[in-house]
Amino acid sequence: MVAAQALTPGRVWWSAVRPATLAASVSPVLAGTAIALHQGAIRPLAGLGALVVAIAMQFGVNFANDYSDHVRGADKQRVGPVRAASSGVVAPQQVRLAAIASFAVAGVVGVVLSVATDWRLLIAGAACLLAGWLYTGGPRPYGYLGLGELFVFVFFGLVATVGTAYVETGHITILSVLMGCGVGFLATAILVLNNLRDIETDEAAGKRTLATRIGRRPTQVFLLLLVCGAFAVPIVLFVSNLASVTVMAMHFGIPIASFPVRTAFASTAPPQLVQALKRMAAAELAYALLFTIGILL
């Protein structure tokens, strides 16, 4: 970790945002918008609102995780990028307020989207906010119970992709659900790499992630299966006549995704796993971009 005296508040806050992982919020919105364009019905303002909600939700989850890990002592021997609440530069309560403010932005914009589209989305929005806060907050955070991967898959995969397509088109389709799964697989892979990097320190701190529960080797295999599942999606789309053969362009993203998988199997060094995590985030964004190109050709 960088020495506290070398840090500035700006650098600490930028690290707390975890910019390398923002692909997890941008990619599902991009995929959902591509589906809307493919179906010939799009509401640009609704798509922009969905993007704001997704990014604000990720900010909220990141800040809440930062604060909760500090309070629970999970950052005492952290080997990854600096955390704001534990940095000694930013007050922990400021991080908590940043989390609340981020969730508030997501909530307000989400309410506007729901009222303009379908009031039933208020229920889904409330579930997202509650799940985001309870990920590492509350008396029994499920992120400490090995359920973080499920949270990411559902909310940063299925809900974000299907939700974006729905607010822009008014329809839920098999195409959006399958793409939600594909994006969710890669978003989950980002978290798996994060937890693989922190497996020893999390175990020492009593943070029971899925990686600490099942061990390093099964976690590596799980990572491989997630990536394989993501790149099986375009094959399913083509075989089931949901998309033309051009959607197979998504497979050009395989070399990008294979690098972090190889790193996860070959190294236990935290710096290398940090780089692998960043590459997986890039792979998810490339996945969504290639899907957009393939579905619109």
Side-chain angles (χ1 to χ4, degrees):
M1 182 183 295
V2 181
Q5 60 267 27
L7 297 174
T8 64
R11 290 177 62 186
V12 169
W13 280 113
W14 181 244
S15 179
V17 166
R18 305 183 202 178
T21 65
L22 289 181
S25 53
V26 174
S27 298
V29 176
L30 177 59
T33 300
I35 292 169
L37 285 169
H38 173 65
Q39 295 176 348
I42 184 170
R43 298 165 62 203
L45 288 179
L48 179 61
L51 180 62
V52 172
V53 171
I55 293 176
M57 276 294 300
Q58 183 160 7
F59 278 16
V61 171
N62 288 347
F63 290 143
N65 185 38
D66 190 308
Y67 173 76
S68 297
D69 278 355
H70 168 73
V71 170
R72 298 174 189 276
D75 283 341
K76 289 182 179 179
Q77 299 181 5
R78 182 173 174 78
V79 293
V82 66
R83 290 292 191 91
S86 300
S87 67
V89 177
V90 175
Q93 286 302 319
Q94 290 183 352
V95 181
R96 182 174 182 271
L97 288 174
I100 293 172
S102 298
F103 285 133
V105 170
V108 170
V109 177
V111 166
V112 173
L113 273 177
S114 299
V115 171
T117 307
D118 185 339
W119 67 266
R120 291 172 296 183
L121 290 175
L122 291 171
I123 300 173
C128 289
L129 291 173
L130 185 63
W133 182 258
L134 295 180
Y135 175 53
T136 53
R140 288 184 62 81
Y142 60 87
Y144 282 59
L145 299 175
L147 298 175
E149 285 78 5
L150 179 62
F151 163 76
V152 169
F153 175 77
V154 171
F155 291 100
F156 285 96
L158 282 173
V159 172
T161 306
V162 175
T164 298
Y166 184 74
V167 298
E168 294 189 16
T169 68
H171 301 288
I172 294 177
T173 63
I174 297 177
L175 175 61
S176 64
V177 171
L178 287 173
M179 270 310 296
C181 289
V183 171
F185 287 147
L186 293 182
T188 305
I190 295 173
L191 179 61
V192 169
L193 282 163
N194 179 82
N195 291 342
L196 195 60
R197 179 199 66 201
D198 295 339
I199 190 168
E200 284 85 9
T201 54
D202 282 346
E203 191 166 17
K207 185 176 181 179
R208 302 293 288 160
T209 62
L210 181 63
T212 64
R213 289 176 177 273
I214 66 177
R216 184 176 293 276
R217 177 58 66 175
T219 303
Q220 293 166 332
V221 174
F222 180 46
L223 174 67
L224 176 61
L225 292 175
L226 286 170
V227 173
C228 289
F231 287 101
V233 168
I235 299 174
V236 174
L237 295 180
F238 173 62
V239 170
S240 26
N241 293 319
L242 292 172
S244 67
V245 69
T246 54
V247 80
M248 305 296 270
M250 295 166 68
H251 288 148
F252 286 114
I254 290 177
I256 306 174
S258 64
F259 172 82
V261 174
R262 291 197 306 269
T263 301
F265 275 89
S267 176
T268 60
Q272 292 187 23
L273 291 174
V274 169
Q275 291 304 311
L277 184 154
K278 293 178 180 179
R279 286 290 292 270
M280 188 60 76
E284 183 184 359
L285 186 57
Y287 183 85
L289 284 169
L290 289 167
F291 167 73
T292 300
I293 295 170
I295 199 71
L296 296 181
L297 285 178

